């Protein structure tokens, strides 16, 4: 088929699959390049072992990332949480930019994201009619929160939806395969982006597999949807192999990298008559969370607390983690006490149930919960993605990623721990444990789960990598999808916003393709 009628997407996670679905339903032909196949393929997971990250800067990718259809998200489903107005109004401190779009711009696409995940309830029906004011919330919590003058705002936020667990994206790929104009390149990897002579557009890409085969793909548009670190790496490789002109256009690649910080209190009892209420919706559970904005001098940190059914890890992710240990350490895993303890712990977490199997009225779900805190990691000048010295299977430089915590952030997180002990006075015994968890994050960043930034969206070349339509600055037909384009991390899981933005991009590209066909 002519490349004029085709879009190539590299990456088959939430961004790539939702983007492909949107394009196909608009009649646009799609190539989808997926660097994996079934979850748990050890040969493909070995590609993550090549990434030699420094443990004190960033968690190693092989420990918690999965190569395959749906990526890591396929192993657990999705926690669908919207970003709020304040997320969109905050600035990326390291680049001096903020979102060039607003929350109202994205609301129609959040609605479409819910439909993508099979949540048929309308977005409005998932939002309570009555909101709780800050003063009411402070009284309800029963703690002297007025003393915490650094906390500017409290909200009880919905919707927060937990979708089906596992097999979310695999089933969606099967649906895509029913389209005649869809081609899936399974177990193929992007090895090179080829630019035109004047470097204003992508001419083709070269993909390769582990059997040593290579082939060229041509299309009218190329979309990188490989995850935050890999999106940045591919653009850094392009920048390295091109002229000074492209280097100038891509000067901000890798900057503005951020993530989320996770803390938890295991197996606690939820206060009676508290406002975290579960309600079943089709393909998921709906519940509330406490969200707060904290200002520490010039730094603003957004956080949230929520109860969840323990544990949060299911069979797929645990299986891959165990396989990774054996792949990396062989039989040594059996005589390494720390690794063995971690492996056994993961095996114990195989009790995870899907939302449809959970009785929301049971005592276990109503009362005995894990209290999770999820905090924003603020982008700064020292947190970034770079190219390292080691080469991958295909001879390309591997990435290095670094997360740096500023003193203001550390101070903020300490005060947030104090706040949690004020809100939940019956758990003050865990104050020391919480602070130990915070310190362990600084020593060994738990940055695996939500990798954000690196190809940041903005208003101009000077402060961004892509524009408001996700197009790479200075390259006419190259786009980026996924959390790498987020200027700020917020506190919310990125999946819902990733898919909303991917659907938005899909509608934009559909219009662009049809416009070019009529010229």
């Amino acid at each position: 088929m002519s490349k004029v009628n085709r879009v190539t997407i590299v990456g088959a996670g939430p961004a790539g699959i939702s983007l492909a679905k949107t394009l196909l339903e608009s009649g646009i032909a799609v190539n989808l390049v997926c660097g994996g196949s079934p979850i748990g393929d050890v040969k493909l997971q070995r590609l993550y072992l090549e990434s030699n990250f420094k443990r004190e800067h960033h968690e190693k990718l092989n420990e918690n990332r999965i190569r395959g259809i749906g990526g890591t998200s396929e192993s657990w489903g999705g926690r669908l949480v919207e970003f709020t107005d304040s997320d969109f109004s905050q600035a990326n401190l390291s680049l001096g930019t903020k979102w060039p779009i607003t929350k109202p711009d994205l609301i129609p696409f959040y609605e479409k994201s819910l439909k993508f995940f099979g949540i048929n309830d309308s977005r409005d029906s998932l939002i309570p009619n009555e909101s709780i004011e800050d003063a009411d919330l402070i009284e309800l919590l029963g703690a002297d929160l007025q003393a915490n003058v650094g906390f500017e705002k409290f909200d009880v936020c919905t919707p927060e939806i937990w979708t089906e667990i596992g097999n979310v994206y695999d089933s969606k790929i099967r649906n895509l395969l029913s389209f005649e104009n869809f081609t899936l390149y399974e177990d193929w990897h992007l090895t090179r982006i080829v630019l035109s002579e004047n470097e204003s557009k992508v001419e083709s890409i070269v993909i390769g597999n582990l059997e040593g085969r290579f082939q060229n793909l041509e299309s009218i548009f190329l979309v990188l949807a490989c995850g935050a670190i890999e999106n940045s790496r591919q653009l850094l490789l392009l920048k390295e192999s091109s002229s000074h002109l492209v280097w100038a256009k891509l000067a901000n690649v890798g900057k503005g990298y951020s993530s989320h910080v996770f803390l938890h209190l295991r197996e606690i009892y939820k206060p009676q008559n508290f406002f975290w209420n579960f309600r079943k919706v089709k393909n998921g559970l709906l519940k509330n969370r406490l969200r707060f904005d904290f200002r520490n001098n010039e730094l603003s940190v957004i956080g949230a607390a929520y109860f969840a059914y323990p544990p949060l890890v299911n069979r797929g992710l645990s299986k891959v983690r165990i396989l990774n240990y054996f792949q990396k350490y062989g039989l040594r895993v059996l005589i390494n006490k720390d690794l063995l303890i971690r492996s056994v712990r993961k095996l114990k977490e195989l009790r995870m149930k899907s939302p449809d199997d959970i009785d929301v009225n049971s005592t276990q779900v109503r009362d005995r919960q894990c209290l999770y805190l999820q905090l924003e990691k603020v982008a700064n000048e020292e947190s970034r993605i770079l190219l390292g010295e080691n080469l991958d299977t295909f001879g390309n430089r591997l990435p290095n990623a670094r997360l740096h915590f500023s003193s203001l952030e550390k101070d903020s997180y300490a005060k947030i721990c104090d706040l949690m002990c004020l809100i939940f006075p019956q758990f003050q015994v865990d104050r020391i444990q919480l602070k130990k968890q915070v310190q362990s994050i600084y020593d060994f960043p738990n940055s695996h789960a939500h990798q954000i930034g690196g190809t940041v969206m903005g208003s101009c070349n000077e402060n961004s990598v892509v524009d408001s339509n996700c197009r790479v600055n200075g390259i006419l037909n190259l786009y980026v999808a996924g959390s790498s384009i987020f200027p700020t991390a917020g506190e919310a899981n990125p999946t819902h916003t990733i898919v909303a933005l991917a659907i938005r991009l899909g509608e934009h590209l559909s219009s662009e393709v049809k416009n070019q066909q009529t010229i």
Side-chain angles (χ1 to χ4, degrees):
M1 183 175 290
S2 168
K3 76 172 188 177
V4 174
N5 299 320
R6 191 164 285 273
V7 174
T8 295
I9 303 166
V10 181
I17 292 174
S18 57
L19 172 58
K21 181 175 184 290
T22 304
L23 290 167
L24 290 165
E25 290 175 346
S26 297
I28 309 300
V30 172
N31 296 324
L32 184 63
V33 180
C34 175
S37 56
I39 281 181
D41 189 320
V42 175
K43 290 184 298 182
L44 294 167
Q45 283 297 111
R46 286 184 64 185
L47 296 176
Y48 275 146
L49 298 180
E50 297 172 343
S51 298
N52 189 24
F53 288 8
K54 292 184 178 180
R55 187 64 183 85
E56 65 271 22
H57 293 161
H58 197 290
E59 188 169 58
K60 294 181 179 180
L61 294 180
N62 65 289
E63 293 189 7
N64 288 289
R65 307 303 292 176
I66 297 175
R67 297 184 76 94
I69 291 171
T72 309
S73 292
E74 174 64 5
S75 72
W76 62 275
R79 175 178 177 244
L80 306 183
V81 189
E82 295 182 1
F83 275 33
T84 67
D85 290 324
S86 58
D87 292 315
F88 286 94
S89 62
Q90 286 205 118
N92 182 307
L93 298 180
S94 63
L95 288 173
T97 187
K98 64 179 184 178
W99 290 82
I101 60 176
T102 66
K103 174 66 178 289
D105 292 334
L106 210 52
I107 285 176
F109 301 100
Y110 276 131
E111 189 86 55
K112 293 176 182 180
S113 175
L114 291 175
K115 298 297 184 291
F116 173 79
F117 284 103
I119 308 297
N120 294 324
D121 301 67
S122 71
R123 177 181 174 276
D124 289 344
S125 71
L126 300 173
I127 299 175
N129 293 326
E130 296 182 5
S131 63
I132 301 178
E133 298 295 334
D134 289 357
D136 296 331
L137 181 57
I138 290 172
E139 183 179 355
L140 181 61
L141 293 172
D144 185 16
L145 301 180
Q146 301 285 9
N148 291 271
V149 294
F151 288 84
E152 296 184 320
K153 185 179 180 183
F154 293 90
D155 286 312
V156 178
C157 297
T158 54
E160 174 175 337
I161 298 170
W162 292 78
T163 69
E164 56 188 302
I165 304 299
N167 298 319
V168 177
Y169 302 96
D170 182 62
S171 61
K172 296 185 188 308
I173 281 286
R174 289 197 297 271
N175 174 259
L176 298 186
L177 289 169
S178 66
F179 288 85
E180 292 183 359
N181 55 354
F182 175 70
T183 305
L184 176 64
Y185 292 87
E186 196 173 34
D187 297 348
W188 288 84
H189 311 267
L190 175 61
T191 65
R192 186 186 171 203
I193 298 174
V194 181
L195 295 180
S196 61
E197 187 174 349
N198 65 2
E199 298 186 339
S200 66
K201 60 185 293 188
V202 175
E203 285 288 334
S204 65
I205 63 171
V206 180
I207 59 174
N209 64 19
L210 298 184
E211 298 173 357
R213 295 169 55 203
F214 295 88
Q215 62 177 301
N216 277 351
L217 292 181
E218 293 186 351
S219 56
I220 189 171
F221 293 115
L222 170 66
V223 182
L224 299 178
C226 324
I229 291 177
E230 186 64 14
N231 283 345
S232 295
R233 179 174 85 116
Q234 291 298 336
L235 290 182
L236 287 169
L237 290 170
L238 180 63
K239 170 181 164 182
E240 187 176 63
S241 64
S242 303
S243 72
H244 180 73
L245 182 63
V246 169
W247 184 92
K249 294 172 184 174
L250 301 179
N252 291 313
V253 176
K255 297 180 181 179
Y257 182 54
S258 59
S259 186
H260 289 139
V261 173
F262 301 90
L263 309 170
H264 64 266
L265 295 166
R266 289 279 187 177
E267 302 273 327
I268 67 174
Y269 284 91
K270 179 168 64 70
Q272 294 298 316
N273 302 316
F274 211 50
F275 51 82
W276 272 279
N277 297 312
F278 288 87
R279 177 165 68 86
K280 276 192 177 183
V281 295
K282 184 177 180 181
N283 293 325
L285 290 176
L286 173 71
K287 61 192 185 68
N288 301 326
R289 74 191 191 284
L290 170 65
R291 187 182 188 279
F292 45 85
D293 295 355
F294 176 67
R295 181 164 296 280
N296 190 356
N297 296 326
E298 73 273 20
L299 183 75
S300 180
V301 174
I302 297 172
Y306 56 92
F307 283 104
Y309 179 81
L312 287 177
V313 181
N314 83 326
R315 294 174 177 81
L317 188 54
S318 294
K319 175 185 175 184
V320 169
R321 282 172 169 166
I322 301 303
L323 287 173
N324 280 341
Y325 292 139
F326 278 99
Q327 180 66 33
K328 185 173 183 180
Y329 300 103
L331 294 178
R332 283 182 295 163
V333 73
L334 298 177
I335 58 176
N336 185 308
K337 180 180 177 182
D338 291 337
L339 286 173
L340 185 60
I341 290 173
R342 292 177 72 181
S343 300
V344 171
R345 185 188 306 130
K346 297 306 173 189
L347 288 173
K348 285 183 177 180
E349 291 177 345
L350 298 182
R351 298 173 294 150
M352 185 60 182
K353 298 181 179 180
S354 72
D356 288 339
D357 296 329
I358 296 174
D359 178 5
V360 295
N361 296 313
S362 72
T363 300
Q364 185 177 30
V365 173
R366 281 202 323 268
D367 299 325
R368 197 165 179 79
Q369 303 284 320
C370 294
L371 174 66
Y372 281 80
L373 310 181
Q374 189 162 304
L375 312 173
E376 179 179 31
K377 170 76 186 74
V378 180
N380 59 58
E381 190 63 34
E382 295 186 56
S383 294
R384 60 176 61 196
I385 300 160
L386 301 166
L387 291 179
E389 296 303 318
N390 296 337
L391 303 181
D392 68 10
T393 298
F394 305 103
N396 290 317
R397 291 173 67 187
L398 286 161
N400 276 336
R402 176 186 176 93
L403 280 174
H404 171 77
F405 293 88
S406 68
S407 59
L408 278 173
E409 273 184 297
K410 293 180 179 180
D411 183 55
S412 298
Y413 296 156
K415 291 179 179 178
I416 286 168
C417 289
D418 291 337
L419 173 71
M420 289 300 103
C421 293
L422 283 171
I423 293 177
F424 304 102
Q426 61 270 55
F427 308 134
Q428 287 208 28
V429 66
D430 293 298
R431 182 191 301 266
I432 295 175
Q433 178 60 30
L434 275 177
K435 293 197 172 183
K436 282 183 178 178
Q437 288 187 46
V438 173
Q439 185 58 49
S440 71
I441 290 165
Y442 306 147
D443 297 335
F444 303 105
N446 66 341
S447 52
H448 61 279
H450 302 154
Q451 298 163 358
I452 293 169
T455 66
V456 165
M457 177 187 285
S459 56
C460 63
N461 290 6
E462 286 69 32
N463 62 18
S464 66
V465 176
V466 303
D467 64 17
S468 60
N469 287 320
C470 308
R471 184 176 68 86
V472 174
N473 295 330
I475 303 179
L476 297 174
N477 61 343
L478 178 57
Y479 291 77
V480 180
S483 59
S484 66
I485 67 176
F486 293 10
T488 56
E491 53 78 21
N493 284 41
T495 306
H496 199 17
T497 304
I498 286 172
V499 171
L501 285 167
I503 293 171
R504 178 177 178 268
L505 173 58
E507 293 186 4
H508 171 74
L509 290 180
S510 297
S511 176
E512 290 290 296
V513 172
K514 290 172 181 176
N515 286 340
Q516 294 201 26
Q517 288 174 339
T518 60
I519 295 175

